[in-house]
Amino acid sequence: MSTTTGTPAAPVTLPRTYPRRASLAVLCAGALMTILDGTVVTVAMPAVQRDLDFSGPGLAWVVNAYLIPFGGLLLLFGRLGDLLGRKRMFTAGLAVFTAASVACGLAPSQGALIAARAMQGAGGAMSSAVVLGMLVALYPEPREQARAIAVFSAVGSVGATLGTFLGGALTQTLSWHWIFLINLPIGVAAWLAALRVLARDFGAGPVGGADWPGAALVTGALMLTVYVIVGAGDRGPAATAALAALALALLVAFAVRQARADRPLLRLRILRSRTLSGANGVQVLMVATMYGFQFLGALYLQRVLGFGALHTGLAFLPAPLAIGVLMLGLSARLTGRFGGYRVLLAGLVLITVGMVLLSRAPADGSYAADVLPPMLLMAAGFAAAMPPLTGLAMSGARPQDAGVASGLFNSTQVVGGSLGLAVLSTLAASRTGGLLHRGAELVPATAEGYRLAFRVAAVVAATALALAAVTLRPREE
C-alpha cells in the first residue's frame, strides 16, 4: 500500500494460518466459469441461430462479442489489479460476469444477446486478468507453487473441454438459455466465498499511475487484433490488411508511450525476459493448435461421422478426464523430478504426434479408431505442457508486475485461440468449397477440409516445440 510519501509498500504476505486451499478453490471456481463460457456456446450455436433468427455471419458475433472485450481488456485489468488490489478486481469481475450471464440467458433478441456477451467478456477479463498473480502470491514457495499451478491448470483445461459436453447436454435436455443461466448459482456462490476467504491485498493505489493514454492504446490495439482475426472470413483482403496495419500502428504507439511514460502500464523491461516472452510465444502456438482441434474436431464428429450435440459432448468427455487426472496426479511430480523445460517439451511432442494422427481421419472413419487415440495423446500432452508453461511465464515477472504478467499471459491465450480458430476454420472451409466446386461429394470434401486444417495445426504444434526448445532452455544447461 502506498504511504503518504508515495513509496510503495512491500507485497502483502499471507499468514501461515490462512486457508490457502479455500482461496485456491475460489480462484479455480471463478476461472472455471469464464473458461467454460468460451466453449459451452459452441454446441448450442445451431439452437441459438434457430431461436433468434441469426444469419450465418451474424451468428459469429455471439462468440466474437465475448472474445473481443475479453482479449482486449486483460492487460488493462491486470495492471489495475496491481494498482487497486487484485481481490477487488477479481470480485468485481465475478459480479459483472454473473449479471451478464443472466442477461444472456434472458436475451429476447440478437442485439440483446450480443450486448450481454460483450459485458460477459469484460467481466471475464476483470476476474481472469489477476488470477495468476493472486495464485503466485498465495504460494510463493516453488514446489507448492508448482502443485497449485497444476491444480489451477487442470481446472482450466478440464473446463475448456467439459464445456463442449455441458453445452450439448444443457441445450438438448433444457434449452440454450441454460448454458448461461447455470452461471447464476455458481457465480453468486463464488462471489460470496471470495469476499470471505480471499486475503485483502493492497495495490500501489490510483496515485501509482494507471497510464490512461497507454491503456487506451493497448486496449484498442488488442481489441482490434482480436476483431481482425475472428472476422477475417467476413471481409476482403484489403479491409483485413488495413485493419491489421491499424492494429500494428496502435501497438507501436503503445510501445513508444511505455518507453517514455513515468509510470507505464506495461514496463517494457519485463518483455526482455527470455523466459516470459518465450513462454507467451509458445502459448500462442500451442493454444492455436488445441482450440483448432476442439472446434474442428467437434465439427468432424457432427458433419462427417453424423454425431448429435449430446453425442459429440460425450465423445469429448475422455479428454478433460485425462487432463484432470494427469495434471493433478503427475504434472507437479514430473516437473519436480525432470524440470519444467523437459516436461514442457515432452508435452508438445505428444500434441504434435496426436495432431499428425488426427490429420489422417477419413470420411468413413470411426470415433474409436480415428478420433479417440489422437485426442488422448493431445490431452496428455496438454496436461504435461500447460502447468510448467504457466510457471515459466510467471517466473519472469517481478512481484509488483504479477498482475500485468498474468493479464499478458491470458491475452496471448485469447489471441492464440482466436488465431487458431480463424485460420484453421478458414483453411478447412476453403478446401471443402474448392472440392465441392469441382464436383466432389459433400462428406468426403468436408473431411478433406478438416484433414488439411489438422495438418497445418500439426505444423503449428511442431513450431511451438521448436520455439520452446530454443527460448526456454534453462541457462545452466
Side-chain angles (χ1 to χ4, degrees):
M1 182 177 181
S2 296
T3 65
T4 55
T5 60
T7 302
V12 175
T13 302
L14 294 174
R16 296 295 297 175
T17 57
Y18 199 83
R20 294 191 297 175
R21 290 186 178 180
S23 299
L24 177 61
V26 170
L27 295 178
C28 288
L32 180 62
M33 274 205 314
T34 58
I35 291 168
L36 273 174
D37 203 79
T39 56
V40 74
V41 179
T42 304
V43 180
M45 293 285 269
V48 174
Q49 184 174 24
R50 289 192 303 269
D51 196 13
L52 297 183
D53 196 28
F54 272 101
S55 64
L59 186 64
W61 281 98
V62 176
V63 176
N64 296 349
Y66 178 85
L67 287 177
I68 291 170
F70 185 85
L73 293 170
L74 279 166
L75 195 59
L76 171 61
F77 286 138
R79 184 57 179 160
L80 288 178
D82 290 336
L83 296 174
L84 304 178
R86 294 169 197 152
K87 177 181 178 178
R88 184 178 298 170
M89 188 61 60
F90 180 77
T91 52
L94 287 181
V96 172
F97 185 88
T98 303
S101 296
V102 175
C104 287
L106 300 178
S109 65
Q110 297 179 15
L113 179 58
I114 290 173
R117 287 286 284 164
M119 184 179 170
Q120 257 194 324
M126 292 174 72
S127 59
S128 298
V130 296
V131 166
L132 287 176
M134 296 175 76
L135 190 150
V136 169
L138 196 63
Y139 292 91
E141 195 275 322
R143 188 176 296 273
E144 289 183 332
Q145 188 179 108
R147 285 196 292 265
I149 287 177
V151 172
F152 180 79
S153 299
V155 169
S157 303
V158 168
T161 311
L162 193 60
T164 306
F165 167 71
L166 290 177
L170 289 171
T171 300
Q172 190 159 319
T173 58
L174 296 171
S175 73
W176 66 264
H177 301 274
W178 284 95
I179 66 174
F180 300 114
L181 294 176
I182 195 67
N183 287 330
L184 177 59
I186 300 172
V188 170
W191 182 75
L192 291 173
L195 291 177
R196 181 174 181 83
V197 308
L198 292 181
R200 186 181 179 188
D201 60 334
F202 300 92
V207 295
D211 184 24
W212 296 111
L217 287 170
V218 74
T219 300
L222 289 174
M223 282 188 170
L224 188 56
T225 297
V226 177
Y227 173 70
V228 168
I229 293 170
V230 299
D234 301 327
R235 294 185 298 268
T240 298
L243 290 172
L246 178 58
L248 180 60
L250 289 174
L251 283 174
V252 171
F254 170 71
V256 172
R257 167 71 188 180
Q258 299 313 286
R260 297 177 177 177
D262 293 333
R263 297 184 179 93
L265 178 70
L266 175 65
R267 294 178 176 88
L268 295 182
R269 58 174 167 73
I270 74 171
L271 298 180
R272 300 191 193 106
S273 166
R274 178 172 61 94
T275 301
L276 184 145
S277 298
N280 278 279
V282 170
Q283 180 176 232
V284 168
L285 299 173
M286 184 179 76
V287 171
T289 301
M290 296 302 295
Y291 269 59
F293 154 70
Q294 187 171 327
F295 182 75
L296 295 179
L299 292 179
Y300 174 82
L301 291 176
Q302 295 183 70
R303 296 180 177 177
V304 177
L305 301 188
F307 283 28
L310 182 58
H311 198 182
T312 299
L314 288 170
F316 269 85
L317 200 54
L321 293 176
I323 289 172
V325 169
L326 292 172
M327 277 191 178
L328 295 176
L330 289 176
S331 180
R333 295 180 186 177
L334 291 174
T335 300
R337 181 172 181 179
F338 300 106
Y341 174 72
R342 292 186 179 89
V343 175
L344 171 61
L345 294 188
L348 291 172
V349 168
L350 290 177
I351 292 173
T352 303
V353 172
M355 193 58 75
V356 169
L357 293 176
L358 190 63
S359 69
R360 303 170 61 191
D364 58 350
S366 70
Y367 169 74
D370 300 302
V371 178
L372 183 59
M375 177 194 295
L376 292 178
L377 275 177
M378 285 186 282
F382 193 76
M386 195 61 187
L389 186 64
T390 304
L392 288 167
M394 294 304 296
S395 70
R398 298 180 183 181
Q400 63 267 33
D401 295 324
V404 74
S406 174
L408 179 63
F409 192 69
N410 282 290
S411 295
T412 58
Q413 189 173 94
V414 174
V415 170
S418 302
L419 189 61
L421 287 177
V423 173
L424 296 177
S425 60
T426 299
L427 285 172
S430 178
R431 178 63 170 163
T432 298
L435 292 173
L436 290 174
H437 184 71
R438 293 197 292 270
E441 296 182 3
L442 177 61
V443 172
T446 302
E448 175 56 32
Y450 295 146
R451 282 197 296 271
L452 172 63
F454 293 145
R455 287 195 292 270
V456 172
V459 174
V460 174
T463 304
L465 173 61
L467 181 62
V470 172
T471 64
L472 300 180
R473 178 186 294 275
R475 293 187 184 277
E476 62 269 16
E477 293 189 4

